[in-house]
Amino acid sequence: GAVVSQHPSRVICKSGTSVKIECRSLDFQATTMFWYRQFPKQSLMLMATSNEGSKATYEQGVEKDKFLINHASLTLSTLTVTSAHPEDSSFYICSAPHPTVFEQYFGPGTRLTVT
Amino acid sequence: QKEVEQDPGPLSVPEGAIVSLNCTYSNSAFQYFMWYRQYSRKGPELLMYTYSSGNKEDGRFTAQVDKSSKYISLFIRDSQPSDSATYLCAMTFTGGGNKLTFGTGTQLKVEL
């Protein structure tokens, strides 16, 4: 099946620093990608929709200046957590809908720990 | 009221049991229904998707949709310890921009 990768899989950073997470669709082009965060034993919460060639669309309550999204190409979207704080520690997951088959593929996730 | 309700469990069953996982939803616009399996600290993996009322079978898994009752189910036959994971239902509709609305997930443990 189609593969979506994420990098890094785990990152630890100090409070106040910025962290970039990459999401790549490896064998199909994705004009849209989605970014989620997931707290322990909770479901996925959609943060934003990443659109190739245009601005990301953020869900209500998500700070766009804190969570910068760039859809650089048809296979790459990045999420940058700026000025990270301990409360930003979470599991971040991206997904990409396949362009021709009605399926959406998820990356393996990135665990962010802010100390 | 959440758009999609799912019992969070945890659900513990013996190996070989039939497992029934369920979601209810309130938005009648939902047309496509998916079940994802998520192992701890991993991304969700698509198990099955359906778009019409009725049953769809794939190996040990059967997805059932009842649009009139706004109720979907996933049945797992001959459950195995490797099935231990969190199961998330998700749904969307044409024109929804591919956005998925997820249930909270049900944590399943299949014990030897």
Side-chain angles (χ1 to χ4, degrees):
Chain A
V3 178
V4 172
S5 70
Q6 272 184 251
H7 178 80
S9 58
R10 302 185 68 169
V11 58
I12 300 172
C13 70
K14 292 187 176 180
S15 187
T17 61
S18 295
V19 174
K20 180 186 284 188
I21 303 170
E22 293 185 349
C23 177
R24 293 180 186 273
S25 56
L26 298 184
D27 54 2
F28 65 94
Q29 294 182 332
T31 56
T32 301
M33 291 184 178
F34 299 98
W35 286 96
Y36 299 83
R37 66 187 298 181
Q38 185 178 34
F39 292 106
K41 297 189 177 182
Q42 293 189 26
S43 191
L44 285 76
M45 184 193 81
L46 179 65
M47 298 174 65
T49 302
S50 173
N51 303 299
E52 192 271 336
S54 63
K55 291 182 179 180
T57 307
Y58 291 82
E59 296 299 302
Q60 191 174 10
V62 178
E63 298 176 62
K64 62 180 181 180
D65 294 330
K66 181 168 186 62
F67 299 100
L68 300 179
I69 290 172
N70 181 31
H71 203 126
S73 73
L74 287 172
T75 59
L76 173 64
S77 174
T78 60
L79 168 68
T80 301
V81 183
T82 63
S83 187
H85 291 284
E87 57 265 32
D88 298 324
S89 299
S90 189
F91 194 51
Y92 291 87
I93 307 174
C94 70
S95 73
H98 195 280
T100 58
V101 178
F102 188 81
E103 293 188 23
Q104 191 162 147
Y105 298 96
F106 285 79
T110 297
R111 182 158 302 281
L112 170 64
T113 303
V114 184
T115 60
Chain B
Q1 182 189 10
K2 293 181 181 177
E3 276 193 294
V4 180
E5 300 276 0
Q6 184 177 6
D7 187 338
L11 179 62
S12 183
V13 301
E15 184 179 9
I18 296 174
V19 176
S20 173
L21 304 166
N22 311 295
C23 288
T24 59
Y25 61 96
S26 58
N27 189 348
S28 57
F30 288 133
Q31 299 169 286
Y32 304 95
F33 306 91
M34 286 136 278
W35 286 96
Y36 286 86
R37 177 175 62 196
Q38 186 178 25
Y39 292 111
S40 180
R41 299 173 183 262
K42 301 290 185 183
E45 168 195 11
L46 178 66
L47 282 177
M48 298 186 72
Y49 76 89
T50 58
Y51 57 87
S52 59
S53 285
N55 295 350
K56 181 178 180 180
E57 190 173 316
D58 184 1
R60 296 186 295 113
F61 299 92
T62 299
Q64 188 175 80
V65 174
D66 183 347
K67 288 187 177 180
S68 62
S69 300
K70 297 190 182 68
Y71 187 90
I72 67 171
S73 299
L74 177 71
F75 298 97
I76 306 174
R77 290 184 298 280
D78 188 23
S79 56
Q80 304 295 310
S82 58
D83 295 328
S84 298
T86 297
Y87 291 80
L88 298 134
C89 65
M91 42 198 83
T92 187
F93 55 91
T94 303
N98 285 310
K99 282 187 183 180
L100 298 179
T101 300
F102 282 91
T104 52
T106 299
Q107 189 179 350
L108 171 67
K109 184 174 183 180
V110 180
E111 302 190 78
L112 289 168

